[in-house]
Amino acid sequence: MVVLRAGLCPGLTEEMIQLLRANGIRTVVDFVSSDLEEVAQKCSLSYKALVAVRRVLLAQFSAFPTNGADLYEELKSSTAILPTGSPSLDQLLDSGLYTGEVTELMGAPGSGKTQVCLGIAASVSLGLKQHVLFLDSTGGFTASRLYQILRARAEDGEEQLEALQRIQVVRVFNIYEMLSALQELRDRLSQQVVSSMGPLKIVVIDSVSAVIYPLLGGKHSEGLAIMMQLARELKTLAKEFSLAVVVTNQVTRESSTGPLKPALGRSWSFVPSTRVLLESKEATWEKATTQRVASLAKSSRQPTGIQVELDIGNGDVQELSPATLTQGL
Amino acid sequence: MQREVGSLPLAPALRAKLVAAGFQTAQELLETGPCGLSKELGISKEEALEALQVVRQECPGDVARTAGGSGITRKCTALELLEEEQAQGSIITFCSALDSILGGGVQLTKITEICGAPGVGKTQLCMQLAVDVQIPECFGGVAGEAVFIDTEGSFMVDRVVDIATACVQHCQLIAEAHQEEDHLKALETFSLESILSHIYYFRCRDYIELLAQVYLLPDFLSEHSKVRLVVVDGIAFPFRHDFEDLSLRTRLLNGLAQQLIIIAHDHKSAVVLTNQMTTRIGQNQSTLVPALVSWLPRCAASSCHSKCRRY
């Protein structure tokens, strides 16, 4: 709903705008959807000028359809699949993280979401030599742990340091800071400013629920509105700039014994195209274990319910369990 | 500066008016100016001016941006973070087993939660930490001050006096053994009186006082910049009774958690929380779990003491 302003297109002068406004036409939508003959009569403006302005406005503001074949060609040339650093997780995600999509990792506290995110950042930075943007909202990003993962995967000290330099970390502790950081990223990418940030292919956000939870619930729907703003920002970033976006989310239960379900409700469930649930193998306090089970909860490419085992320690995973089909979430 | 109007921190009613009037980006708002804005939206000039100030704060001008400065001060590469972390000290607990599982001691800029059944020693450990944070750097400490927020009323000053006296004696023994000049100089300022005077104690009796205290803490910390430890003894206690609206409780706790994370990060201090245990009754057996489990995700480390495993 863009407001009509002088200079929006050639031929739209300030007096035209005043006349139009006096007759209740304030935005582009009002203008384009009104009967131009009537408007020409009421505002005593030339019909030809109005038609010309309308043509320019339509060209500027409407979306253009493409056909399926063109779309497919574009997709083939612009989509990349990024490895997560863990072969079994790659297998779960149909060979890795797809750019242009939002992938969600969800799990209970301590299930390994931040560890998997660190692993992904390390793998993209070290293996593909691409830059990574890591938005940390929980304070859980530990550079020494990242360094440990890099040391386990690469021998050369130089390479490790370079990989560390390619990962940019931004700490955002509330929703407005997060939106501001994403907006800044969008501005930078669209202006193609040559800065220390090289080619960016992936944005990792840990975690999305930490900044949205304090706003949800209660009588006001403001929290939902902000959440949807964030959703739109993430999807636009992913699609327009061919980035892979990885977010982490918590899980809740209906009652104390019910099954786990992702937090942030039904509205958020439409945002990520792929959802992976992380769980500990044996939920006890006693045994220290680095084994986790990842199951596919939502995917547009694979059948849901596939489970794989993951080791979030230093070893890249192995242990492969043949995909077992269990009840999907 | 294409920041969308919907994503600016303005009051919802104002935002709704802006969107209805057709404003889409922050740039358009700034171009219109306060008079134009108040006319279009039907709000007073003061309100329009306030709104524009908020917008200007959120979107620093292009000049600042190209000069390399950024409104977000928390941006750095992983390499810089690594160097920062390696240079950071941690608060020792004087119990080597505990220090080793915590990776050297209680980490600064992180939240540590200590949970346990009643009587197992959580408050004692917190009091020990409040004294240990003040150990001078030449003895391996972080030379900071401590803030102690008490919700259960279990802070005993005489016990702190005992702990502090023992700590000072320990440091004196080290100084005598090594006979270095900076040790002796540090000992002049490290005495019982100075330790006690650098523990700032707050007593909160219900959840409102606790929330108020935590939200006001950044102002206090900016005046007392040497604080390196914030202890909240009994984080679950005020929230467990008399709370009818459970979704409000979750919201408040999450807001509290984010505030504590901000404090830990911006002031480079360690935040230590103690939590109670509750019993989860399962199908065949019951297990002891920390209370308010949804609280856990915020903590970097969570150590659980059970009665049979005391360190």
Side-chain angles (χ1 to χ4, degrees), chain B residues 134-182:
Chain B
Q134 305 190 38
I135 297 177
E137 276 161 9
C138 51
F139 292 107
V142 295
E145 302 174 354
V147 164
F148 199 105
I149 300 178
D150 190 5
T151 59
E152 294 168 346
S154 42
F155 184 81
M156 319 243 73
V157 188
D158 7 1
R159 180 67 185 136
V160 178
V161 167
D162 290 341
I163 298 177
T165 324
C167 188
V168 171
Q169 270 176 2
H170 185 88
C171 292
Q172 275 171 346
L173 287 175
I174 299 181
E176 277 168 32
H178 290 262
Q179 288 294 337
E180 275 172 47
E181 217 191 282
D182 41 343

Side-chain angles (χ1 to χ4, degrees), chain A residues 159-190:
Chain A
E159 266 186 48
Q160 292 160 12
L161 289 179
E162 275 176 17
L164 276 176
Q165 276 178 322
R166 284 190 280 260
I167 302 175
Q168 195 172 55
V169 180
V170 184
R171 293 213 145 110
V172 288
F173 296 126
N174 68 42
I175 186 73
Y176 297 110
E177 285 174 19
M178 185 179 281
L179 284 169
S180 170
L182 290 172
Q183 186 66 55
E184 205 194 312
L185 176 65
R186 184 131 72 106
D187 286 342
R188 211 161 36 168
L189 287 175
S190 58

Side-chain angles (χ1 to χ4, degrees), chain A residues 143-144 169 173 177 216 232, chain B residues 4 74 76 78 85 251 258:
Chain A
S144 11
V169 180
F173 296 126
E177 285 174 19
L216 282 183
R232 194 162 66 157
Chain B
E4 290 211 10
R74 303 186 182 117
C76 47
E85 276 180 29
R251 259 200 321 286
Q258 284 303 109

Side-chain angles (χ1 to χ4, degrees), chain B residues 2 9 20 36 51 72 91 95-96 129-130 160 175 195 197 201-202 207 216 268 280 302 305:
Chain B
Q2 299 301 313
I72 306 170
I91 308 174
C95 166
S96 50
L129 287 171
V160 178
I195 296 180
S197 63
Y201 176 80
F202 298 93
Y207 75 94
L216 290 175
K268 292 212 172 6
R280 176 178 288 165
S302 183
H305 298 226

Side-chain angles (χ1 to χ4, degrees), chain A residues 1-3 5 21 26-27 109 137-144 146-147 161 164-165 167-174 176-177 179-181 183-184 186-188 210-211 213-218 222 226 229 232 250 285-286, chain B residues 1-4 6-9 12 15 19-24 28 32 40 58 65 70 72 74-79 81-82 85-86 110 247 250-251 254-255 258 261-262 265-266 288-290 293 296-298 302 304 309:
Chain A
M1 265 222 298
V2 183
V3 173
R5 247 175 258 289
R21 208 170 272 192
R26 305 184 71 244
T27 66
S137 67
T138 56
F141 182 88
T142 320
S144 11
L146 182 62
Y147 190 45
L161 289 179
L164 276 176
Q165 276 178 322
I167 302 175
Q168 195 172 55
V169 180
V170 184
R171 293 213 145 110
V172 288
F173 296 126
N174 68 42
Y176 297 110
E177 285 174 19
L179 284 169
S180 170
Q183 186 66 55
E184 205 194 312
R186 184 131 72 106
D187 286 342
R188 211 161 36 168
V211 290
Y213 246 45
L215 299 170
L216 282 183
E222 183 191 329
I226 284 275
Q229 272 278 336
R232 194 162 66 157
Q250 285 166 26
W285 282 94
E286 264 90 289
Chain B
M1 223 196 310
Q2 299 301 313
R3 183 76 183 274
E4 290 211 10
S7 66
L8 294 168
R15 234 185 290 162
V19 172
F23 289 101
Q24 273 197 332
E28 286 174 21
T32 319
E40 295 235 4
E58 280 292 308
R65 194 158 310 162
S70 168
I72 306 170
R74 303 186 182 117
K75 203 202 287 203
C76 47
T77 63
L79 186 61
L81 264 184
L82 182 65
E85 276 180 29
Q86 282 174 343
K110 304 268 184 228
S247 70
T250 316
R251 259 200 321 286
N254 278 288
Q258 284 303 109
I261 293 175
I262 294 175
H265 181 264
D266 286 349
L288 273 183
V289 293
V293 179
L296 274 179
R298 312 290 178 227
S302 183
C304 225
R309 269 190 304 152

Side-chain angles (χ1 to χ4, degrees), chain B:
Chain B
M1 223 196 310
Q2 299 301 313
R3 183 76 183 274
E4 290 211 10
V5 159
S7 66
L8 294 168
L10 298 167
L14 185 58
R15 234 185 290 162
K17 283 194 198 153
L18 283 170
V19 172
F23 289 101
Q24 273 197 332
T25 66
Q27 185 73 23
E28 286 174 21
L29 278 183
L30 290 175
E31 276 172 8
T32 319
C35 305
L37 208 62
S38 66
K39 238 191 312 184
E40 295 235 4
L41 302 178
I43 53 176
S44 71
K45 288 229 180 84
E46 290 85 26
E47 280 182 36
L49 221 82
E50 251 183 66
L52 282 176
Q53 261 175 359
V54 168
V55 174
R56 257 187 222 108
Q57 245 179 3
E58 280 292 308
C59 318
D62 283 308
V63 180
R65 194 158 310 162
T66 50
S70 168
I72 306 170
T73 51
R74 303 186 182 117
K75 203 202 287 203
C76 47
T77 63
L79 186 61
E80 292 165 16
L81 264 184
L82 182 65
E83 289 165 8
E84 247 183 66
E85 276 180 29
Q86 282 174 343
Q88 223 169 55
S90 45
I91 308 174
I92 54 174
T93 61
F94 274 126
C95 166
S96 50
L98 202 52
D99 281 343
S100 62
I101 55 171
L102 286 174
V106 174
Q107 303 281 343
L108 293 181
T109 75
K110 304 268 184 228
I111 302 186
T112 309
E113 182 191 355
I114 304 174
C115 34
V120 79
K122 311 184 287 294
T123 310
Q124 296 293 313
L125 186 54
C126 291
M127 297 197 290
Q128 179 75 58
L129 287 171
V131 170
D132 291 346
V133 72
Q134 305 190 38
I135 297 177
E137 276 161 9
C138 51
F139 292 107
V142 295
E145 302 174 354
V147 164
F148 199 105
I149 300 178
D150 190 5
T151 59
E152 294 168 346
S154 42
F155 184 81
M156 319 243 73
V157 188
D158 7 1
R159 180 67 185 136
V160 178
V161 167
D162 290 341
I163 298 177
T165 324
C167 188
V168 171
Q169 270 176 2
H170 185 88
C171 292
Q172 275 171 346
L173 287 175
I174 299 181
E176 277 168 32
H178 290 262
Q179 288 294 337
E180 275 172 47
E181 217 191 282
D182 41 343
H183 282 196
L184 298 168
K185 233 174 77 172
L187 268 183
E188 286 166 25
T189 45
F190 190 60
S191 65
L192 180 59
E193 287 78 26
S194 79
I195 296 180
L196 289 178
S197 63
H198 289 309
I199 301 180
Y200 304 108
Y201 176 80
F202 298 93
R203 173 85 168 93
C204 298
R205 286 177 187 80
D206 57 23
Y207 75 94
I208 298 182
E209 283 184 28
L210 177 61
L211 284 171
Q213 189 56 56
V214 172
Y215 280 99
L216 290 175
L217 211 48
D219 295 333
F220 180 84
L221 291 178
S222 47
E223 288 166 28
H224 299 86
S225 56
K226 288 191 68 182
V227 171
R228 287 287 170 271
L229 174 70
V230 174
V231 176
V232 183
D233 190 11
I235 193 95
F237 182 65
F239 288 97
R240 292 185 76 193
H241 319 280
D242 287 346
F243 234 101
E244 285 136 9
D245 189 354
L246 287 183
S247 70
L248 175 65
R249 187 177 80 174
T250 316
R251 259 200 321 286
L252 290 177
L253 277 175
N254 278 288
L256 194 59
Q258 284 303 109
Q259 185 64 13
L260 287 172
I261 293 175
I262 294 175
I263 289 175
H265 181 264
D266 286 349
H267 299 274
K268 292 212 172 6
S269 29
V271 175
V272 174
L273 313 169
T274 60
N275 200 0
Q276 297 164 340
M277 302 286 271
T278 181
T279 315
R280 176 178 288 165
I281 303 179
Q283 303 235 318
N284 306 324
Q285 88 273 43
S286 55
T287 44
L288 273 183
V289 293
L292 301 180
V293 179
S294 60
W295 176 259
L296 274 179
R298 312 290 178 227
C299 306
S302 183
S303 43
C304 225
H305 298 226
S306 62
K307 272 223 145 94
C308 48
R309 269 190 304 152
R310 286 191 65 159
Y311 290 107

